Amino acid sequence: MTSHFDAVVIGAGAAGLMCAMEAGSRGKTVAVLDHADQPGRKILISGGGRANFTNLHCRPDNFLSSNPHFAKSALARFTPEDFLALVRKHRIPFHEKKLGQLFCDRSARDLLDMLLAECAEAGVQLFLGSSLSEITRPDGFHIRTSRQTFTAPALVVAAGGLSIPKIGATGIGYDIARQFGIKVIEPRAALVPLTFSARDLAQFQELSGVSTEVTASVEGQAFREKMLFTHRGLSGPAILQISSYWRQGGAIEIDFAPGEELFAPLRGRNARRDPASAEAALRSVLPQRLAARLIETAPPTGWTNAALDEAETRLHHWRFLPAGTEGFSKAEVTAGGVDTDALSARTMESRAVPGLYFIGEVVDVTGHLGGFNFQWAWASGAAAGRAL
Ligand code: FDA
């Protein structure tokens, strides 16, 4: 059986549904295909089940890409306020958690229901449980699935990245790009916990569960947020954020006490200078277990001012050499992806293959933690949906 549509969208996730409802509401006939038997599974698990669906302070520098200018146009033409207008229209209760991060009060299900309702109203047809077998382009696109064949002058690839394969992530979006001669920037796990080397594991494993505010930095990027010790390495917002910038083999610098002078209590004229007072000084700023471990593993080498200066510097510039990341099974997003040089920044259409569009996470645009990845999915989806 063959069905004809104005556009076929591959992927019923955040970007695909947004694109389909925009195009459908402009009178286009749209089919959305997904191999999963439910749409929007990632939306449902996002933000701990409450979806951090946008960020009020969204700026282009909240995104990584080989071309840092690429996302600007789409982000400017579909803003967090535009998405909020939809959320308000559907009377979905939400709140700002911190730093402009907006979450559903009840459940991410509200958001998915909203997108599905908009798609239904726009006449979008969903084809779930559809495994792709072949895409050809004799005259327009022919998309063959396990169930039927679709023909359309436009094909939108919204198949996401490689993160969380157990809920349906595949590399199909990258395969389609390569099939049409479009370059893919090597995909890599981002917003992901980092693992300890054997030496660090022996020193820090028992701190699992300890959390403290740090500044984590690499190559001029710095994030001051909470860091969490895990039984395998480091996590928490500061580490997830910096992981997107980290490359295998590189070091991350950790400031354990941003803005604090840890050994200040030892500097007074009559202050005691010994291991106990050094540990007490650290305990007044850092979690107890962390303070004890740092004094044990890296005590001041003496009690002169120079030795205290050196110990102080070390704790503000701790050099962490991760062994690796916890990989795509734990990564919140995939960095890298379809090369933005191959796409129009206004419409997301391929420059070389008219009618072929890439949107959302499959594109080499990756947001910081805090609602930015959804905002990119909405903005890039809307950009393509309006252009179809
Ligand atoms: P998405 O992955 O949503 O959708 C892709 C769709 O394509 C899926 O439905 C998939 O089944 C389908 N597909 C894949 N392969 C296919 C194939 N071979 N054939 C057919 N269909 C196929 N971001 C944020 O801003 N705020 C947040 O709170 C969170 N929280 C969060 C938590 C967790 C645990 C994760 C893993 C991720 C987040 N994110 C997030 C990131 C956010 O979920 C992500 O960036 C967007 O969902 C990307 O939207 P896309 O539509 O591009 O891909």
Side-chain angles (χ1 to χ4, degrees):
M1 182 181 144
T2 299
S3 314
H4 184 79
F5 288 86
D6 292 328
V8 168
V9 178
I10 297 176
L17 293 174
M18 171 57 78
C19 172
M21 65 182 244
E22 280 287 336
S25 67
R26 286 169 164 70
K28 301 288 176 183
T29 57
V30 185
V32 181
L33 320 185
D34 204 300
H35 68 157
D37 41 23
Q38 293 173 45
R41 286 190 72 189
K42 222 173 247 182
I43 297 174
L44 294 179
I45 61 163
S46 67
R50 295 221 163 118
N52 177 193
F53 58 81
T54 192
N55 193 300
L56 293 173
H57 312 307
C58 185
R59 294 184 318 268
D61 59 5
N62 296 118
F63 297 84
L64 297 79
S65 171
S66 301
N67 175 358
H69 302 292
F70 179 80
K72 286 182 179 168
S73 165
L75 291 170
R77 286 181 301 114
F78 191 91
T79 63
E81 269 309 319
D82 292 324
F83 192 75
L84 265 184
L86 260 176
V87 170
R88 289 197 178 100
K89 175 182 157 198
H90 287 257
R91 298 179 195 281
I92 296 175
F94 66 91
H95 60 281
E96 179 179 349
K97 198 162 174 186
K98 58 170 186 173
L99 308 168
Q101 301 170 4
L102 301 188
F103 284 75
C104 297
D105 284 356
R106 292 188 302 232
S107 156
R109 165 64 62 187
D110 284 348
L111 216 61
L112 180 57
D113 288 347
M114 172 189 93
L115 295 167
L116 293 174
E118 289 284 335
C119 281
E121 200 182 316
V124 172
Q125 292 187 48
L126 247 57
F127 296 85
L128 302 172
S130 295
S131 292
L132 278 176
S133 31
E134 191 186 36
I135 299 173
T136 53
R137 189 167 164 263
D139 49 349
F141 294 91
H142 289 215
I143 302 114
R144 203 149 62 78
T145 73
S146 45
R147 303 204 161 170
Q148 58 177 303
T149 297
F150 298 85
T151 57
L155 175 64
V156 183
V157 181
L162 295 171
S163 315
I164 324 280
K166 75 168 188 249
I167 61 159
T170 72
I172 192 110
Y174 310 128
D175 297 342
I176 298 171
R178 292 189 191 104
Q179 177 188 337
F180 288 98
I182 296 169
K183 188 173 145 203
V184 173
I185 311 282
E186 182 63 21
R188 57 181 206 283
L191 297 181
V192 63
L194 299 172
T195 55
F196 282 139
S197 63
R199 205 195 70 180
D200 283 343
L201 191 66
Q203 287 189 345
F204 296 112
Q205 192 176 30
E206 68 189 41
L207 294 183
S208 177
V210 170
S211 160
T212 189
E213 185 173 310
V214 301
T215 298
S217 47
V218 78
E219 285 170 12
Q221 276 292 330
F223 294 94
R224 181 172 174 168
E225 290 197 60
K226 289 270 187 191
M227 176 177 89
L228 173 72
F229 286 84
T230 73
H231 62 288
R232 298 189 61 194
L234 294 175
S235 187
I239 295 299
L240 297 180
Q241 296 278 35
I242 208 70
S243 74
S244 300
Y245 292 88
W246 176 75
R247 297 304 175 104
Q248 187 71 42
I252 287 172
E253 190 173 289
I254 309 276
D255 180 346
F256 277 112
E260 301 276 353
E261 192 187 340
L262 286 159
F263 292 114
L266 278 68
R267 305 274 186 177
R269 191 180 296 168
N270 298 318
R272 280 176 46 199
R273 291 184 173 190
D274 55 25
S277 43
E279 184 173 334
L282 292 201
R283 277 175 191 268
S284 67
V285 177
L286 299 174
Q288 311 279 299
R289 281 158 66 200
L290 175 60
R293 180 82 320 184
L294 289 173
I295 284 294
E296 249 171 69
T297 54
T301 52
W303 303 107
T304 60
N305 284 341
L308 288 182
D309 288 347
E310 192 269 332
E312 183 83 41
T313 303
R314 210 169 344 117
L315 292 172
H316 291 288
H317 301 273
W318 188 58
R319 200 166 171 271
F320 168 45
L321 255 179
T325 76
E326 292 210 16
F328 288 113
S329 65
K330 292 282 163 59
E332 197 165 304
V333 283
T334 304
V338 173
D339 188 0
T340 55
D341 283 351
L343 307 178
S344 151
R346 212 179 62 78
T347 64
M348 307 292 133
E349 187 177 13
S350 157
R351 295 181 192 285
V353 187
L356 181 61
Y357 297 74
F358 292 87
I359 56 174
E361 196 175 319
V362 73
V363 178
D364 174 30
V365 172
T366 305
H368 288 172
L369 196 69
F372 301 104
N373 284 297
F374 276 139
Q375 188 56 36
W376 169 246
W378 316 137
S380 59
R386 290 167 180 174
L388 286 170

